[in-house]
Amino acid sequence: WSQLVRLRALLGNPLPTTRESYQALDACIGHLRKYQVFARIADRIIPSLPKDREELDRYGASRNLHSEEFGALTEAMLCELYSSLDGLLNFFQAMYPTMDQLQKMRFASSLFQSAKEGRLSEDSPEPVRVILAAAYAGWFEELRKLRVEITH
């Protein structure tokens, strides 16, 4: 079980067990599972990528079928990872319904950036703020940029 699946199974006091909290966790879990499915398919396609080059060398042109499949899967994987973070924002909003600043956020990037800049409410647990700030400084911004470049 992933940590999110465990959290969903054990969700209860002191955390609220609202429909919204379960839906948000389900969204996170669902998107991460789709990412894993796409990653397994991508792993099966990788050995076929040289076939596109062989086709080019042999016929002077290539349909790039395997490369296109791999590219589409890569885009889908990035979108699923990012969508799981939107679910994380929704989960925090369900956990802290009285935190106005959090309730006004529409994008996962706002959550991570607020933590990085020290603007996330002191009402949220310090370990959560520290982890979100470290993620923003580490991998989040790169993931966000990749997703924007690939999807726009």
Side-chain angles (χ1 to χ4, degrees), residues 70-140:
F70 187 77
L73 284 169
T74 301
E75 179 179 342
M77 289 166 53
L78 286 169
C79 289
E80 291 302 329
L81 283 175
Y82 203 83
S83 293
S84 71
L85 298 176
D86 289 333
L88 182 66
L89 170 61
N90 294 335
F91 178 70
F92 284 134
Q93 290 170 329
M95 292 296 98
Y96 304 104
T98 60
M99 221 192 276
D100 288 340
Q101 175 197 21
L102 192 58
Q103 298 305 316
K104 291 176 184 174
M105 291 182 186
R106 295 185 52 223
F107 306 106
S109 58
S110 301
L111 175 66
F112 285 85
Q113 188 168 2
S114 293
K116 177 199 168 257
E117 295 172 355
R119 294 185 292 113
L120 200 56
S121 172
E122 295 291 322
D123 293 338
S124 59
E126 182 181 3
V128 171
R129 293 192 312 266
V130 169
I131 289 170
L132 291 172
Y136 188 90
W139 54 264
F140 176 80

Side-chain angles (χ1 to χ4, degrees), residues 16-89:
T17 55
T18 63
R19 181 175 56 87
E20 290 82 8
S21 62
Y22 284 110
Q23 285 176 335
L25 281 176
D26 288 342
C28 290
I29 293 165
H31 287 296
L32 289 174
R33 284 184 175 155
K34 282 190 270 185
Y35 166 82
Q36 292 167 342
V37 169
F38 290 144
R40 288 193 306 268
I41 296 169
D43 285 343
R44 289 197 303 265
I45 291 173
I46 288 172
S48 300
L49 291 174
K51 292 179 182 177
D52 290 344
R53 179 62 195 204
E54 292 166 10
E55 186 178 45
L56 176 64
D57 292 342
R58 186 172 190 184
Y59 301 109
S62 174
R63 296 171 294 162
N64 289 317
L65 296 178
H66 303 95
S67 299
E68 284 180 348
E69 290 172 345
F70 187 77
L73 284 169
T74 301
E75 179 179 342
M77 289 166 53
L78 286 169
C79 289
E80 291 302 329
L81 283 175
Y82 203 83
S83 293
S84 71
L85 298 176
D86 289 333
L88 182 66
L89 170 61

